[in-house]
């Protein structure tokens, strides 16, 4: 029997299990790219506006760190500068998590052992997962190419841009293939893959910050650290500039090396084991673990700490960047209209700060979804059933998990407001006052996050088997409507579907209590529906 025996059938099984996730991924990526390209084209409609944007972006260290290097003044180059990092991070994380889900997670749950008892080769599960994920990246890139061309961008540059995004996904498919061999748990493998994504972002940002600006001030050549990052390779393709097509071969080479290494590592370990031995815990557990609250804190503290570090760094950077925002607005009035659409109000600087706080609230919504979906993971792996066999009731257990996620969201919102205000205050000379003001403004976004928590809880209680995919899909819809809907000039009826639309854009406008009360009431109804459904259904379900 070959080591690859059974790969086609396992690939079909992967497609069957992930058909909804893959459809959202493959279709959502080009749709998001098309929407972003259309909005950028509306903001920078002529050569003068793009010239001002390129000059500002090339000279701004903050813009280079977060958006990457600008490749010129063409519309396509501006679109890539505005959209590449967002799309690249999405496909990197989706690719990594998909590979781990069908390799290490299957071993952790015992599914791989059952499959291995049939006519299945040693490498077949890993190969099937890699085949499907790589194919998904290729298909998403092809559709993104059509979307960019449909948005009116040149064909050659669109091919380079779509290839760069697809290449990032392929590169991190290879990374996840290796991390799945190292860790004994799916959570650990995902954490290792996410850490590589974070390191790649830092290396890319360092290379772009240290890069050289062209003589006309509209282009940037990245320094050597960017070449050490798979995220940086996409920038080095230089779509809509002087394209370097050979860079597209680097992700393919990394994939080949990653697969070879993953196969070699798989030969050196037992099924279900990892090459990195799990850390031995203490002989006796902490007293706090005897309660659902203590257990929730123990399981979520690592995730919360990682989010806190990211939020603090981004908040401080965005606050400091407010000083450069004035220069960007002076150079491009169309950008001022876009910021005003997202942030509201007449004061553009306040609108910028409100838009940044709104973006943080959307991002923290992902933390809420991630934290609450742990309850579904506990159900599928048997932990929930064991917990409910004790004196812990269903309502208390689920309520504790929801409370832990909401308190984590509160902490992250406060941190986002404090760090953004601190960065802005360091520029204006009033760090304490700005930090307190923006911390209060950030907390006003909490009712929208409560609605997100209510949606996830309701889906877990009423539609447990679909809760994971639907929860992320709902958050993506909120992202498109709440953050980009105004810029894309969507009808108000569509914008009103997102809870983020109803949150007052403080500090750009004065706070209003009524929408916050209504959002809180909606969240309470959703939470009650989720708890009621959970109490009435089977576990596991």
């Amino acid at each position: 029997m070959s080591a690859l025996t059974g790969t086609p059938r396992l690939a079909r099984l992967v497609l069957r299990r992930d058909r909804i996730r893959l459809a959202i991924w493959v279709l959502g990526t080009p749709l998001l790219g098309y929407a972003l390209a259309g909005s950028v084209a509306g903001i920078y409609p002529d050569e003068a506006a793009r010239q001002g944007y390129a000059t500002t972006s090339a000279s701004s260290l903050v813009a280079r760190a977060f958006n990457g290097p600008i490749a010129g003044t063409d519309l396509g180059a501006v679109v890539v500068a505005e959209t590449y990092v967002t799309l690249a991070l999405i496909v990197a994380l989706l690719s990594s998590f998909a590979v781990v889900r069908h390799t290490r997670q299957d071993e952790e749950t015992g599914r791989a052992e059952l499959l291995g008892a049939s006519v299945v080769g040693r490498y077949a599960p890993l190969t099937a997962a890699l085949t499907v994920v790589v194919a998904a990246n290729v298909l998403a890139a092809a559709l993104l190419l059509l979307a960019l061309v449909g948005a009116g961008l040149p064909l050659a540059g669109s091919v380079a841009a779509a290839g760069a995004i697809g290449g990032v996904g392929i590169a991190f498919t290879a990374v996840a293939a290796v991390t799945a061999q190292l860790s004994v748990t799916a959570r650990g493998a995902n954490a290792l893959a996410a850490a590589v994504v974070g390191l790649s972002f830092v290396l890319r940002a360092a290379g772009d910050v240290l890069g050289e600006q062209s003589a006309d001030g509209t282009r940037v050549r990245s320094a050597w650290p960017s070449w050490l990052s798979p995220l940086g390779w996409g920038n080095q393709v230089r779509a809509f500039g002087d394209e370097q097509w050979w860079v597209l071969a680097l992700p393919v080479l990394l994939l080949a090396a990653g697969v070879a290494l993953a196969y070699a590592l798989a030969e050196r370990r037992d099924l279900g084991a990892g090459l990195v031995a799990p850390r031995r815990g203490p002989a006796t557990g902490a007293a706090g673990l005897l309660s659902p609250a203590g257990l929730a804190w123990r399981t979520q503290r690592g995730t919360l700490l990682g989010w806190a570090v990211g939020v603090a760094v981004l908040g401080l950077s965005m606050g400091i960047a407010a000083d450069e925002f004035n220069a960007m607005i002076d150079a491009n009035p169309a950008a001022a209209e876009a910021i005003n659409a997202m942030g509201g109000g007449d004061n553009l600087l306040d609108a910028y700060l409100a838009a940044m706080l709104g973006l943080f609230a959307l991002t923290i919504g992902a933390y809420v979804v991630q934290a609450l979906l742990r309850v579904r993971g506990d159900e599928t792996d048997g932990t929930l059933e064991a917990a409910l066999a004790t004196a812990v009731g269903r309502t208390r257990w689920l309520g504790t998990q929801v409370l832990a996620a909401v308190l984590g969201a509160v902490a992250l919102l406060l941190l986002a407001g404090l760090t953004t205000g601190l960065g802005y205050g360091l520029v204006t000379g009033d760090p304490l006052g700005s930090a307190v003001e923006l911390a209060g403004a950030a907390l006003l976004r909490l009712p929208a996050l409560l609605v997100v928590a209510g949606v996830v809880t309701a889906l877990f209680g009423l539609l447990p088997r679909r809760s994971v995919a639907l929860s992320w899909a709902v958050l993506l819809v909120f992202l498109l409507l709440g953050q980009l809907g105004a810029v894309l000039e969507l009808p108000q009826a569509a914008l009103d579907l997102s809870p983020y639309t109803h949150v007052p854009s403080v500090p750009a406008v004065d706070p209003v209590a009524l929408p916050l009360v209504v959002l809180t009431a909606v969240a309470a109804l959703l939470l009650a529906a989720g708890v009621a459904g959970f109490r009435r259904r089977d576990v596991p379900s």
Side-chain angles (χ1 to χ4, degrees):
M1 182 176 68
S2 168
L4 297 177
T5 299
T7 298
R9 291 190 176 185
L10 289 180
R12 289 197 294 272
L13 178 61
V14 172
L15 287 171
R16 171 70 178 175
R17 290 174 57 197
D18 267 12
R19 60 189 183 278
I20 297 178
R21 289 188 180 96
L22 290 174
I24 294 173
W25 172 7
V26 171
L27 297 177
T29 301
L31 287 176
L32 181 58
Y34 180 83
L36 291 173
S39 65
V40 171
I43 296 172
Y44 307 100
D46 52 42
E47 181 65 25
R50 295 192 292 271
Q51 177 80 25
Y53 173 86
T55 303
T56 303
S57 297
S59 60
S60 170
L61 297 183
V62 174
R64 284 155 65 172
F66 286 98
N67 291 345
I70 185 77
T73 60
D74 290 345
L75 176 60
V78 176
V79 169
V80 169
E82 285 288 295
T83 62
Y84 168 76
V85 171
T86 299
L87 294 177
L89 287 175
I90 289 174
V91 300
L93 293 173
L94 288 176
S95 299
S96 301
F97 294 163
V99 171
V100 171
R101 183 165 55 251
H102 295 289
T103 53
R104 173 53 61 184
Q105 188 178 79
D106 282 354
E107 294 188 37
E108 189 178 3
T109 59
R111 188 181 291 114
E113 191 171 6
L114 290 175
L115 292 173
S118 62
V119 185
V120 173
R122 173 75 170 176
Y123 302 149
L126 174 60
T127 306
L130 294 176
T131 300
V132 172
V133 175
V134 169
N137 277 293
V138 172
L139 181 56
L143 294 177
L144 179 59
L145 163 63
L146 297 178
L148 294 177
V149 172
L153 301 181
L155 177 61
S158 299
V159 172
I165 297 297
V168 170
I170 290 173
F172 283 97
T173 298
V175 170
V178 175
T179 64
Q181 313 306 314
L182 298 178
S183 175
V184 73
T185 65
R187 188 175 300 167
N190 281 329
L192 288 174
V196 175
V197 173
L199 178 61
S200 298
F201 182 89
V202 171
L203 287 172
R204 180 211 58 78
D208 296 336
V209 168
L210 298 174
E212 296 182 359
Q213 190 174 356
S214 63
D216 62 358
T218 60
R219 294 173 176 81
V220 174
R221 293 275 183 171
S222 301
W224 62 268
S226 197
W227 289 97
L228 302 178
S229 165
L231 288 175
W233 295 343
N235 287 130
Q236 305 317 311
V237 175
R238 297 175 190 162
F240 302 102
D242 49 340
E243 286 92 355
Q244 297 189 116
W245 298 101
W246 65 270
V247 179
L248 294 175
L250 295 179
V252 179
L253 295 176
L254 179 60
L255 176 65
V259 171
L261 179 58
Y263 284 167
L265 295 177
E267 287 290 343
R268 297 176 61 87
R269 67 177 183 87
D270 293 330
L271 185 66
L275 291 178
V276 178
R279 183 169 59 90
R280 294 177 63 87
T284 58
L289 294 179
L290 296 175
S291 67
L295 181 60
W297 164 248
R298 180 65 173 267
T299 56
Q300 294 189 20
R301 65 184 183 183
T303 302
L304 182 60
L305 178 61
W307 274 88
V309 172
V311 166
V313 172
L314 287 175
L316 190 63
S317 302
M318 294 302 180
I320 295 174
D323 187 46
E324 297 179 351
F325 171 77
N326 287 323
M328 182 186 75
I329 292 302
D330 291 339
N332 190 358
E337 296 180 7
I339 292 293
N340 201 343
M342 289 189 293
D346 297 325
N347 187 305
L348 288 176
L349 191 54
D350 285 344
Y352 165 80
L353 294 172
M356 293 305 101
L357 292 180
L359 182 59
F360 273 119
L362 280 167
T363 306
I364 295 170
Y367 165 79
V368 173
V369 174
Q370 181 185 18
L372 282 178
L373 286 180
R374 296 177 74 97
V375 299
R376 180 57 183 168
D378 288 345
E379 181 177 9
T380 56
D381 65 18
T383 303
L384 173 57
E385 197 169 6
L388 295 180
T390 66
V392 177
R394 294 194 182 196
T395 301
R396 181 187 175 194
W397 183 83
L398 183 56
T400 300
Q401 301 295 324
V402 173
L403 180 61
V406 170
L407 290 178
V410 171
L412 292 176
L413 280 174
L414 271 175
L415 186 61
L418 287 172
T419 53
T420 304
L422 179 62
Y424 175 59
L426 291 175
V427 175
T428 60
D430 184 19
L432 180 60
S434 298
V436 171
E437 179 185 1
L438 292 186
L443 281 180
L444 292 177
R445 272 75 180 175
L446 180 60
L449 293 177
L450 292 178
V451 173
V452 173
V455 169
V456 178
T457 305
L459 290 172
F460 171 72
L462 302 173
L463 299 170
R465 295 186 179 182
R466 300 282 182 255
S467 58
V468 175
L470 289 178
S471 295
W472 289 112
V474 168
L475 183 66
L476 180 60
V477 171
F478 288 169
L479 168 66
L480 293 175
L481 295 177
Q483 193 65 21
L484 300 176
V487 177
L488 298 176
E489 299 181 351
L490 296 179
Q492 188 61 41
L495 299 181
D496 289 340
L497 295 176
S498 170
Y500 295 95
T501 303
H502 305 282
V503 176
S505 297
V506 181
V509 299
D510 294 331
V512 180
L514 180 59
L516 302 181
V517 173
V518 173
L519 288 176
T520 304
V522 170
L525 291 175
L526 290 170
L527 289 170
V531 172
F534 178 58
R535 292 187 59 177
R536 295 174 62 87
R537 68 174 177 83
D538 292 334
V539 174
S541 178

